[in-house]
Amino acid sequence: MTGHEKYMFRAIELAKLGSGYVSPNPMVGCVLVKNDKIIGEGFHEKYGGPHAEDMAIKNSYELPLDSTAYINLEPCCIESKTPPCTKLLYENGIKECYISILDPNPKIAGNGVKALKEFGIKVHIGLCKEMSQKLNKGFIKWITQGKPWVILKIAQSKNGFLGLNNSTRTQITTNESICDVHNLRTKVDAILIGKNTALVDNPKLTVRYAKGTNPLRIILDTNRKLPLDLNVFRDQLAETIVLCSKDKFSNSRTSFCKYIAVQEQNGKLSLNESLIAIANEGVTTLLIESGPELIKSLMDENLIDELYLYSSNKNLKNADLKNPLKLSNKWKINFSKDIGEDNLINAERKLECLQEL
Ligand SMILES: NC(=O)c1ccc[n+]([C@@H]2O[C@H](COP(=O)([O-])OP(=O)(O)OC[C@H]3O[C@@H](n4cnc5c(N)ncnc54)[C@H](OP(=O)(O)O)[C@@H]3O)[C@@H](O)[C@H]2O)c1
């Protein structure tokens, strides 16, 4: 590993500390180095708060003059909730800048680099690029496509069932896997379920067996049929949004939840419109924890980006809630690991290649 990579790794590690607090902003970390020694570190800690570059400068224990900055995302060059970071870097005498990836925000996208160069700062782009893209995949999709990064979590028995039937709650995997899912919840902005899961499982969808913040809870309930005594409406532990049909309802809010009306399609909610409405709420990463009906609809429309498949080592007898997902060659497996007696596979949908001309 080169010294440059070591410092960029550190910037990426710092950026991760903002997970769960900065969305819909990206996670950004910054390291200032002088004479091959770190003199300042900072990260974007919360939405609306100072940017990573500003924090690193403020935290420096030596004058940052003539230092080199390592940042996992291109510095901003626009006045927003905070002053432009390009100007801050210049005013504090930073002479060189290693930037992992350009900011996909069209208002910045290369303009930050241009501004740094105009200030006479030497710029290098692309160090640890894949790691930085992976870290902010939610933000990148949200800002470029107006939809969240969609992660599907499934718990299946050894013989491929998600439960006994769609009117019974069944625990499929062990408590170790459940803790792992709670950890996954800390990394997303929102969780989405279908109406039947809300009704049958009455889940809380909060983070209880891991350290982190509770995500927003979202339910698809076309005709607003869900009773208001469910945990998601009663416990006040996180905000709840119900997506319902535009043909019957309009946007409204009660003390239980917020209702957002979206287009109906063949008697159900349009998933494309639902994802856009969810993104408009500032959700960059969305975890699906629903039953097979919603999973199948999402799969049919190729709307799932990433998958966490938890498999038990026990068969479920007399079950008819079959897992509709097949791990075909459309999926690239990132890793597979054992969690206690269960197994977890993480995979990502392969990008479709355009036919060669
Ligand atoms: N093992 C696991 O990983 C796991 C996870 C969660 C749940 N479960 C189990 O799954 C069962 C429930 O699953 P389920 O398949 O019956 O229901 P579901 O997927 O949780 O919910 C489906 C319902 O969501 C609403 N919906 C609105 N728009 C939709 C759309 N475009 N596509 C699909 N659904 C849409 C529909 O109700 P409206 O038409 O009324 O709006 C639909 O009937 C329960 O037994 C639960 O325990 C298992």
Side-chain angles (χ1 to χ4, degrees), residues 93-149:
I94 281 57
K95 67 163 191 233
E96 206 167 348
C97 221
Y98 282 81
I99 295 165
S100 192
I101 54 171
L102 295 183
D103 189 335
N105 181 346
K107 288 185 197 147
I108 302 170
N111 291 327
V113 168
K114 196 164 154 238
L116 289 174
K117 286 182 178 165
E118 280 167 7
F119 283 135
I121 298 174
K122 209 168 160 192
V123 182
H124 312 263
I125 305 162
L127 186 65
C128 309
K129 185 176 154 198
E130 282 79 22
M131 281 174 81
S132 297
Q133 277 169 337
K134 196 170 156 215
L135 175 71
N136 276 312
K137 58 194 171 191
F139 169 73
I140 294 170
K141 185 173 173 199
W142 180 78
I143 199 95
T144 56
Q145 298 179 35
K147 285 189 199 153
W149 178 264

Side-chain angles (χ1 to χ4, degrees), residues 153-157 161-170 172 193-198 200-201 219-225 243 265 267-271 274 288-298 301 321:
K153 168 248 137 183
I154 299 183
Q156 66 170 5
S157 64
F161 288 92
L162 304 196
L164 285 176
N165 51 55
N166 65 0
S167 53
T168 322
R169 180 180 187 166
T170 324
I172 305 287
I193 57 171
K195 186 197 79 184
N196 297 350
T197 297
V200 175
D201 293 0
I219 310 172
L220 300 187
D221 180 15
T222 316
N223 302 300
R224 282 179 56 167
K225 291 283 184 205
L243 297 186
Q265 202 177 20
K268 304 278 170 205
L269 297 176
S270 153
L271 293 178
S274 297
I288 312 290
E289 293 200 42
S290 77
E293 185 178 348
L294 178 54
I295 294 174
K296 186 167 181 320
S297 305
L298 288 159
E301 294 188 44
L321 216 59

Side-chain angles (χ1 to χ4, degrees), residues 190 201 222 242 303 340 343:
D201 293 0
T222 316
V242 171
L303 294 173
N343 173 265

